[in-house]
Amino acid sequence: MDRNHQSNCKLNKTEKKFLRKQIKARHTLLRHEGIETVSYATQILVVANGGLGNGMSRNQLLPVLEKLGQVDALLMPPNKPYSFVTYKTIEESKKAYATLNGQQIVDDLGQKIILYLNFVEKVQWKELGLQALPPGLKVVEEIISSEDEKLLLESVNWTEDTDHQNFQKSLKHRRVKHFGYEFHYENNNVDKDKPLPGGLPDICDSILEKWLKEGFIRHKPDQLTVNQYEPGHGIPAHIDTHSAFEDEIISLSLGSEIVMDFKHPDGVTVSVMLPRRSLLVMTGESRYLWTHGITPRKFDSVQASKGHRSGIITGDVGDLTLSKRGIRTSFTFRKVRQTPCNCSYPLVCDSQMKEPPPSFPESDKEASQLEQEYVHRVYEEIAGHFSSTRHTPWPHIVEFLKALPSGSLVADIGCGNGKYLGINKELYMIGCDRSQNLVDICRERQFQAFVCDALAVPIRSGSCDACISIAVIHHFATAERRVAALRELVRLLRPGGKALLYVWAMEQEYNNKKSKYLRENRSSQGKKEELNNDPPMHELFVEQMPDMGIQNSASSVPSIHDFQKGRCNSRKVANSKLLIHTNRTSFHSQDLLVPWHLKGNTGKEKPTEPFGPAGTHDPSPVFHRFYHVFCEGELEAACQTLNNVSILQSYYDQGNWCVILQKLLLDAWLHLCSLSSLEAEKEPSR
């Protein structure tokens, strides 16, 4: 549709809808990538909804574009729902603009997608800086024949009795069998004193001997895990436990190729293609320091050029397309370690840590001690670095504060560096935090703040018009202490006063969209918020943002006891050690320790490490903060244990569960109490 024509005549309903979508595409591209569209014709077009990120492959899009003229280049950035096409002439690009705008095509998933095109002056895309495999990693192509592949796949009997010792029943998204030793996923280890009967399958013996003889491997494994992945399934990023296995870990890919992601602690991510019948060998740094995992999806972004098989998937946006996943079976071989690990990576080595991670608290006293060591002390040490990463206010919190009446008295409980204390100059805001160093930063910025515990805030009851608690309550170690923190917050409110609560969500992928925390890449590491609320890039580039999922407080919400009994799908075992989370990955336990890699010594004293080895002088020490990540409905359930509040809104905001609650007026509270009494009288006696 010609832009001049749009302005010179009255548009019908369909044309207005198209124009809105096209304008939204322009604004989103500018907001997320800094690329501005232009009103005049150029050789370059941005094709919204025509990207790898929403299922459109190069092989599918390129022929459509080539029908309108000679294509000089087609840039398809990885995981983005748009692409850029450069035509030989402006006339050809104008023809494509007029012909394809608003046209419907079918993507690789069979879904119908409408394209929206805009002109751009130029496109510069920064490619990935790292062009080498992680140290100690190699991929050997065609390590076995197709005949051996068939024999190996046929040797695994997936239909045998599930009570068989080799059968793993606990995994939700893939089929698993263990040989030699069973791998226990609840503690990521093996029981070295209980080998499985039968050892490794006989067919593996001759293959392993051949690999030893030819120098592909150094040790003969004694443990095998067989995983079968359907398209769309994956495995979380992880490092195989140091104390469980020797240096060399090898994995044979059968049935289908796959892209595996490797990630360094500093945020560098390398995507590696593992072709069918290839052997992945991890030793040294790639085995001990880098996490490896498979993103759950049905397509992988791969090199389009023929001849490129194994190795890094580069950032060359002119040579990327989609590859449809098939059913893949992996044979992962390891050698069980009989002595403690003495690798060169003590900061992440469970054998070399000064002390093991703490256990889940069994009492209020233990919970308080855990918080003192893994929350209060850590924030005191990292305050300067932490503050340098907390500078961008989250939009919905700003919206809440700016909607409050002028002159309102507002308390920020757990104010950190005071990021929200100066948002609305018409409010009287006061902050408090458990960290003296963070409060000092607030005072340096001329904000009113003081040190206190969120369970005992020295502010008169009923004196605040509003309160906010942002990313605080998830640091309390038991359900009782989290409810106590909520109760203390409500105590500060006057009747009719409101509170806004944010906690970290267990569900970092919600409604099929990853949170910013999972999508964060190396370029923004250490500069963006850990819990960031930037608008997400949706699968369909120009569709409307979903609403915030506001629920009425009368809706059905599980009780807090449901969550204490393990209603959420996570691992929690009595007397178990708290798991150490791998940053920028999905959560697999609600109660965990999240690492903080300190950059620069900004504290008052030299920091020490909770798990650091004795004598270590690492320039980038690692601290661990305790978190309880909340499941869907858990925050509302905790709020509903309070008898004098109503939940006005509850929503999910980029990896956080959020609630706005209101303290009831006395008349309303008494009315609810009387209704509850009437309901109780109606209950039949038991």
Side-chain angles (χ1 to χ4, degrees):
M1 184 184 298
D2 182 75
R3 297 191 184 194
N4 292 328
H5 176 71
Q6 292 173 6
S7 61
N8 292 333
C9 69
K10 189 174 181 180
L11 302 177
N12 60 37
K13 186 176 180 180
T14 302
E15 290 171 331
K16 286 181 180 178
K17 181 180 178 182
F18 163 78
L19 185 58
R20 285 198 306 271
K21 296 292 184 76
Q22 192 182 41
I23 292 173
K24 184 175 177 63
R26 294 178 211 158
H27 291 168
T28 309
L29 184 67
L30 177 63
R31 186 168 68 249
H32 288 280
E33 307 299 342
I35 298 174
E36 191 167 5
T37 63
V38 294
S39 58
Y40 51 87
T42 67
Q43 291 174 256
I44 308 173
L45 290 162
V46 56
V47 185
N49 287 347
L52 300 176
N54 59 308
M56 185 66 63
S57 71
R58 180 176 298 271
N59 294 339
Q60 195 145 13
L61 181 61
L62 186 57
V64 174
L65 298 172
E66 287 180 330
K67 290 180 181 178
L68 285 310
Q70 183 177 337
V71 174
D72 278 355
L74 175 59
L75 305 184
M76 303 189 77
N79 305 315
K80 301 294 184 181
Y82 49 79
S83 58
F84 300 91
V85 57
T86 303
Y87 280 97
K88 186 74 173 177
T89 67
I90 291 180
E91 289 303 315
E92 289 171 321
S93 67
K94 288 171 66 176
K95 183 179 179 182
Y97 178 89
T99 304
L100 295 179
N101 239 326
Q103 292 302 303
Q104 181 176 279
I105 62 174
V106 179
D107 67 8
D108 282 33
L109 291 170
Q111 298 174 329
K112 295 178 180 178
I113 286 182
I114 298 176
L115 301 180
Y116 298 94
L117 282 69
N118 281 290
F119 292 108
V120 294
E121 187 64 52
K122 60 181 179 179
V123 176
Q124 291 180 328
W125 205 265
K126 185 165 60 177
E127 296 187 6
L128 297 176
L130 187 72
Q131 298 297 322
L133 291 171
L137 186 146
K138 64 180 178 181
V139 180
V140 185
E141 293 186 36
E142 295 294 338
I143 191 75
I144 62 171
S145 65
S146 56
E147 291 78 12
D148 284 341
E149 177 187 39
K150 182 179 179 183
L151 290 173
L152 283 168
L153 291 172
E154 290 175 348
S155 71
V156 183
N157 181 11
W158 295 110
T159 60
E160 69 185 2
D161 187 355
T162 56
D163 290 331
H164 193 279
Q165 282 187 292
N166 295 116
F167 192 86
Q168 169 61 247
K169 294 172 284 188
S170 65
L171 298 188
K172 183 178 179 182
H173 295 298
R174 64 186 191 274
R175 295 199 287 187
V176 180
K177 281 193 174 185
H178 300 293
F179 299 88
Y181 294 84
E182 181 180 0
F183 186 82
H184 298 283
Y185 290 93
E186 65 272 13
N187 61 8
N188 295 322
N189 215 320
V190 296
D191 190 337
K192 300 172 184 179
D193 298 323
K194 293 183 179 180
L196 296 173
L200 272 57
D202 293 338
I203 189 174
C204 296
D205 193 62
S206 60
I207 293 175
L208 292 171
E209 289 290 350
K210 181 181 178 183
W211 293 348
L212 275 168
K213 185 177 180 181
E214 295 178 355
F216 293 124
I217 60 175
R218 300 195 307 262
H219 310 290
K220 189 171 182 179
D222 55 10
Q223 193 274 338
L224 166 64
T225 298
V226 181
N227 286 281
Q228 187 179 83
Y229 300 87
E230 297 282 341
H233 291 170
I235 186 170
H238 66 284
I239 299 173
D240 287 71
T241 307
H242 289 206
S243 63
F245 304 111
E246 293 286 354
D247 183 13
E248 192 172 65
I249 293 177
I250 61 176
S251 184
L252 179 65
S253 295
L254 305 176
S256 179
E257 66 184 18
I258 199 73
V259 171
M260 182 173 283
D261 297 317
F262 291 81
K263 191 167 186 176
H264 190 274
D266 68 5
V268 176
T269 299
V270 178
S271 297
V272 178
M273 167 61 78
L274 306 180
R276 181 177 179 178
R277 294 190 294 276
S278 69
L279 183 69
L280 169 71
V281 182
M282 292 183 289
T283 61
E285 183 176 316
S286 66
R287 180 265 186 267
Y288 288 123
L289 188 61
W290 293 62
T291 65
H292 60 279
I294 297 171
T295 303
R297 57 192 176 210
K298 294 185 178 180
F299 290 85
D300 283 318
S301 295
V302 301
Q303 307 301 145
S305 53
K306 295 179 180 178
H308 185 101
R309 299 193 64 190
S310 65
I312 291 177
I313 305 299
T314 71
D316 181 3
V317 296
D319 187 38
L320 289 179
T321 188
L322 293 180
S323 173
K324 189 175 183 179
R325 288 184 180 178
I327 297 175
R328 173 180 174 265
T329 303
S330 67
F331 280 57
T332 301
F333 297 93
R334 310 172 180 93
K335 184 171 180 60
V336 173
R337 184 185 292 277
Q338 300 299 332
T339 58
C341 178
N342 62 349
C343 69
S344 302
Y345 309 95
L347 291 181
V348 291
C349 179
D350 60 314
S351 291
Q352 300 182 64
M353 290 176 181
K354 275 198 306 184
E355 57 185 80
S359 299
F360 186 82
E362 296 293 324
S363 66
D364 187 75
K365 181 180 178 181
E366 289 182 7
S368 178
Q369 292 172 342
L370 177 70
E371 293 161 14
Q372 174 63 36
E373 183 68 16
Y374 296 101
V375 181
H376 306 161
R377 190 178 76 83
V378 173
Y379 277 104
E380 203 69 357
E381 295 283 5
I382 69 172
H385 181 212
F386 177 82
S387 177
S388 70
T389 69
R390 267 51 187 174
H391 46 72
T392 305
W394 303 346
H396 295 306
I397 302 172
V398 173
E399 180 182 336
F400 174 84
L401 292 173
K402 290 195 171 182
L404 294 173
S406 178
S408 295
L409 177 61
V410 183
D412 184 349
I413 310 301
C415 62
N417 67 351
K419 181 169 66 173
Y420 295 106
L421 294 179
I423 291 295
N424 186 349
K425 304 298 184 182
E426 301 300 315
L427 305 177
Y428 294 101
M429 289 200 69
I430 188 167
C432 62
D433 200 278
R434 189 60 176 74
S435 166
Q436 177 69 61
N437 287 338
L438 286 173
V439 168
D440 287 346
I441 292 172
C442 292
R443 291 172 176 171
E444 288 171 6
R445 297 176 174 180
Q446 307 303 309
F447 294 134
Q448 298 292 320
F450 58 89
V451 176
C452 77
D453 194 300
L455 296 179
V457 181
I459 295 178
R460 190 175 70 244
S461 299
S463 59
C464 295
D465 298 294
C467 294
I468 61 173
S469 172
I470 310 302
V472 174
I473 293 172
H474 53 218
H475 284 308
F476 288 98
T478 64
E480 292 78 12
R481 292 173 69 81
R482 292 187 285 275
V483 170
L486 291 172
R487 187 177 297 112
E488 179 69 356
L489 195 74
V490 172
R491 180 187 67 80
L492 305 179
L493 293 173
R494 63 166 175 80
K498 298 177 182 178
L500 173 62
L501 315 169
Y502 266 60
V503 295
W504 213 356
M506 175 85 174
E507 300 84 353
Q508 288 298 304
E509 188 166 348
Y510 190 67
N511 288 339
N512 296 318
K513 295 179 180 66
K514 290 185 178 181
S515 70
K516 184 75 172 181
Y517 175 71
L518 293 186
R519 292 186 287 113
E520 196 76 304
N521 56 32
R522 183 194 183 194
S523 62
S524 55
Q525 188 79 6
K527 296 180 181 178
K528 294 291 182 90
E529 299 290 337
E530 181 177 317
L531 305 177
N532 201 304
N533 286 52
D534 292 342
M537 294 287 284
H538 298 303
E539 283 189 6
L540 289 179
F541 190 67
V542 297
E543 291 300 312
Q544 292 293 325
M545 290 276 289
D547 62 35
M548 294 164 61
I550 294 172
Q551 302 167 0
N552 188 291
S553 62
S555 62
S556 176
V557 176
S559 74
I560 190 67
H561 302 291
D562 292 333
F563 295 97
Q564 290 175 279
K565 294 174 182 176
R567 182 179 182 273
C568 197
N569 183 24
S570 67
R571 296 201 299 261
K572 177 181 169 183
V573 183
N575 300 315
S576 65
K577 299 294 183 184
L578 290 170
L579 296 178
I580 298 177
H581 176 61
T582 301
N583 281 331
R584 307 294 170 189
T585 66
S586 298
F587 296 118
H588 303 284
S589 175
Q590 278 192 271
D591 299 290
L592 39 76
L593 299 173
V594 177
W596 180 277
H597 295 262
L598 187 67
K599 304 297 182 185
N601 189 4
T602 55
K604 295 181 179 178
E605 300 177 0
K606 179 175 173 55
T608 56
E609 297 177 41
F611 305 132
T616 296
H617 299 287
D618 189 88
S620 179
V622 180
F623 294 89
H624 295 82
R625 297 166 293 161
F626 172 81
Y627 280 87
H628 171 87
V629 290
F630 279 64
C631 291
E632 182 174 9
E634 185 176 359
L635 181 58
E636 294 97 309
C639 292
Q640 288 186 343
T641 64
L642 309 176
N643 56 11
N644 58 340
V645 303
S646 65
I647 296 175
L648 301 181
Q649 297 178 11
S650 62
Y651 56 92
Y652 179 88
D653 189 5
Q654 270 300 293
N656 306 286
W657 289 115
C658 320
V659 159
I660 297 177
L661 58 80
Q662 185 173 38
K663 188 171 185 177
L664 295 175
L665 298 170
L666 182 60
D667 290 345
W669 184 17
L670 293 174
H671 178 64
L672 283 179
C673 290
S674 64
L675 288 177
S676 299
S677 299
L678 289 173
E679 289 296 324
E681 291 175 7
K682 294 178 182 178
E683 286 288 321
S685 58
R686 299 181 185 275

